[in-house]
Amino acid sequence: RHVTSPTDDRSATEIPENFRALVARQTDDGVDLTSETVDLSFLPEGEVVVRVEYSGANYKDALAVTPKGGVVREYPIVPGIDLAGVVVSSTSDGLSVGDRVVAHGYEIGTGRHGGYAEYARVPAEWVVPLAEGLSTADAATIGTAGFTAALSVQALLARGLTPSDGPVLVTGASGGVGSVSVDLL
């Protein structure tokens, strides 16, 4: 897991003028990934700014920095298709400063800047407040693969599948989604 941390001891809700991000830029020779100092104007529009505490390393993130990887709409991009952290700014009625949240999927890290930065700005409808007792580290551990696996198993249960129905074949069981599916099943 990739972990980011604020560059100094500023309060949890203060947004610095500048912050660090891993930025992928397309070049004639491929894609370069470098640590850069950026400001909020670098981030896309959105209702919620999150101080990123964790962002996983996913297959799509590798594709984002691979020439002809095919997942990035336009460079430059901050990879990181999932992120977990604390809300530091919100214009959404459903999310407040200080809320612990997770966001993954949609266009995060492929069509708009993702979690490989100290701060991310995303649409409010992409952000999920964490349940009491679930830390941002726990949410990041579950990540996109865990969420996808849980949805898949839930779909089986919703269709009436029970353990008495016998074994379930999980293709790709050694990958992220598959291995979590096997654990859940």
Side-chain angles (χ1 to χ4, degrees):
R1 293 286 163 181
H2 169 76
V3 179
T4 62
S5 61
T7 54
D8 59 28
D9 293 328
R10 56 179 56 91
S11 76
T13 59
E14 182 181 337
I15 303 171
E17 189 172 316
N18 297 297
F19 56 92
R20 292 177 304 168
L22 284 175
V23 181
R25 294 183 184 277
Q26 191 169 30
T27 66
D28 291 339
D29 298 328
V31 178
D32 287 341
L33 181 66
T34 58
S35 179
E36 297 183 15
T37 299
V38 299
D39 61 36
L40 279 181
S41 68
F42 182 72
L43 300 179
E45 293 298 314
E47 297 82 24
V48 181
V49 177
V50 177
R51 180 176 43 85
V52 178
E53 294 177 346
Y54 301 95
S55 182
N58 295 281
Y59 184 67
K60 267 184 157 177
D61 298 318
L63 290 175
V65 298
T66 301
K68 300 180 184 176
V71 298
V72 173
R73 293 204 180 114
E74 186 177 332
Y75 291 94
I77 190 83
V78 174
I81 67 166
D82 54 22
L83 60 96
V86 177
V87 174
V88 293
S89 174
S90 175
T91 59
S92 169
D93 291 336
L95 296 161
S96 301
V97 170
D99 286 351
R100 290 173 300 106
V101 298
V102 65
H104 55 78
Y106 298 95
E107 299 175 355
I108 298 172
T110 59
R112 63 183 296 125
H113 297 316
Y116 290 180
E118 291 180 302
Y119 293 85
R121 184 168 29 213
V122 293
E125 61 268 16
W126 297 3
V127 179
V128 178
L130 298 182
E132 191 64 37
L134 185 64
S135 71
T136 53
D138 292 337
T141 300
I142 295 167
T144 301
F147 183 75
T148 304
L151 288 175
S152 299
V153 171
Q154 182 60 41
L156 294 173
L157 295 173
R159 286 169 178 74
L161 186 74
T162 67
S164 64
D165 292 320
V168 174
L169 174 66
V170 178
T171 59
S174 64
V177 175
S179 62
V180 175
S181 295
V182 168
D183 288 344
L184 292 173
L185 290 165

